[in-house]
Amino acid sequence: MATRLSLVHNDVAVVGMHGGEVFGAAARLALAEADLLVGSGRHLAYVENTTAERWELHGALKPFLDRIATAADVGRQVCMLASGDPGFFGIVRALSARMGADRLAVHPAPTSVAMALARLGMSWDDVVVVSAHGRPIEDAVAEIQRCGRVAVLTAPATPPETVGALLLASGAGYDVAVCSHLGSEDEQITRTDLTGLAAGSYDGMSVTVLTRSTPNAQPTLRWGRPISAFDHRAGMITKPEVRIVALARLDLPSTGVLWDIGAGSGSIAVEAAALAPGLHVIAIEQNEDDAMRVKANAESLGVTCDVVVGSAPEVLASLPDPDRVFVGGGGIDVLDAALLRLRPSGVVVATYAAMDRAALAHQRLGHLTQIAISNAAALPGSGGLRLVADNPVFLSWGTPT
């Protein structure tokens, strides 16, 4: 049986607006019938209802939500004001968690992202929206770098120029448009590049549209490339057969963060970046010459891979938490440090030459196998073949509980 949604006394109306304009007859009715208006001072100033009590939103959010819920419980006609679509990175999430979605009557305006792309005359069905508001700016920038077209929601603490400075350091190229005060009389659209973005001064509450002008690497299902495909130091490289198993056990996600600790030549990091271009791959290597090799190998394969020069576990403190970790160098203290930082449901793969270390890794990760490879070599003089064994490698993996 179908039900008809209606506004009742214990509902909270949530009305989105741009420049004082609301959208639709239902939104206008909610404003007119409210006896309690809640919102920022800027939004409240737009509303002509002169009889409603007004609460200016400030301070801690949870106590304010409790007050709103109490007012609705006693039958007050509450109308909360917000920018754009309040269900898009807005107040609806918090209100719904506090009161329940069935008690909200949401009347959205166009999102700031939709307005920004409309001003630019661009479609946005393929645009990825990234928020730099209330989250580590490094995580937001890593997400931006994985995408072709991005709309970035910034904040006073992380304005557009901060995003620009971090992206500029990455070496990528972008066409940029900063869209500020959308829907108001002082609306402003600034077109620039990363250099101009980083050097500018913009309103923190803007939408920054970035269109990548240098191509992202395309995904490939090829991995286990031969040793000759990588520059390496005296065989300091994960062998192709071991690399094949390690990458399979890592179960690479399409996005997230991968640490390759003790990267050496970076063969794991580079092939992971090729398999999952949306993954933020970080290669950690204490030898500066080897770190330069990782960069060169990434460039030769056309992939993006951040290289951090330093010794684990100390250098790990400055890195974003990983979803996947490959430990190709270091002792059990490095593995333990990685496990402390691993995100929920993350996967760790570690390789060791020594059985005692492998056994300790097995205790932590739950799985252990030995990979023993023998390669064919010609017998002198006879034309026959023999098998030459490489040193075995112990590989441990798992999702710690």
Side-chain angles (χ1 to χ4, degrees), residues 56-68 80 91:
E56 186 171 344
L57 185 61
H58 56 79
L61 183 60
K62 184 180 182 302
F64 220 96
L65 295 179
D66 290 340
R67 289 179 63 195
I68 292 169
M80 190 162 194
I91 194 65

Side-chain angles (χ1 to χ4, degrees), residues 374-380 382-389:
S374 295
N375 293 292
L379 284 168
S382 69
L385 293 176
R386 66 187 180 98
L387 291 176
V388 180

Side-chain angles (χ1 to χ4, degrees), residues 19 42 46 179-190 203:
R42 174 170 58 92
Y46 287 128
C179 307
S180 307
H181 307 291
L182 291 163
S184 66
E185 293 181 356
D186 55 347
E187 179 177 286
Q188 186 173 11
I189 310 296
T190 303
D203 188 287

Side-chain angles (χ1 to χ4, degrees), residues 178-353:
V178 181
C179 307
S180 307
H181 307 291
L182 291 163
S184 66
E185 293 181 356
D186 55 347
E187 179 177 286
Q188 186 173 11
I189 310 296
T190 303
R191 294 179 184 267
T192 183
D193 55 17
L194 276 189
T195 301
L197 182 62
S201 179
Y202 304 93
D203 188 287
M205 302 300 288
S206 298
V207 178
T208 302
V209 179
L210 299 159
T211 302
R212 193 177 181 102
S213 55
T214 55
N216 282 330
Q218 295 301 307
T220 173
L221 291 181
R222 181 188 178 192
W223 72 100
R225 290 170 174 79
I227 292 174
S228 59
F230 300 92
D231 182 21
H232 57 89
R233 173 170 54 92
M236 297 294 291
I237 182 172
T238 303
K239 301 300 188 290
E241 296 81 4
V242 177
R243 204 181 318 132
I244 288 168
V245 177
L247 287 165
R249 293 303 186 190
L250 280 168
D251 188 21
L252 298 172
S254 58
T255 61
V257 176
L258 165 68
W259 290 354
D260 178 2
I261 304 176
S265 66
S267 61
I268 288 285
V270 168
E271 290 205 317
L275 287 165
L279 198 60
H280 181 196
V281 178
I282 304 174
I284 300 105
E285 174 54 52
Q286 63 180 348
N287 183 288
E288 291 190 11
D289 289 340
D290 284 340
M292 293 301 294
R293 290 186 178 91
V294 177
K295 292 181 180 179
N297 287 327
E299 288 176 3
S300 70
L301 205 60
V303 301
T304 300
C305 175
D306 289 342
V307 181
V308 175
V309 180
S311 179
E314 293 79 14
V315 74
L316 305 179
S318 62
L319 304 181
D321 290 343
D323 301 276
R324 299 291 187 271
V325 178
F326 176 73
V327 181
I332 293 300
D333 60 331
V334 174
L335 175 59
D336 286 339
L339 290 173
L340 287 173
R341 296 283 303 284
L342 189 68
R343 287 175 173 165
S345 301
V347 176
V348 177
V349 174
T351 56
Y352 298 96

Side-chain angles (χ1 to χ4, degrees), residues 89 129-136 140 143 151-154:
F89 292 96
V129 180
V130 174
S131 177
H133 194 156
R135 64 179 294 197
E143 192 171 350
V152 187
L153 305 176
T154 54

Side-chain angles (χ1 to χ4, degrees), residues 124-144:
W124 67 290
D125 45 90
D126 63 340
V127 171
V128 176
V129 180
V130 174
S131 177
H133 194 156
R135 64 179 294 197
I137 186 64
E138 293 79 11
D139 288 358
V141 169
E143 192 171 350
I144 292 165

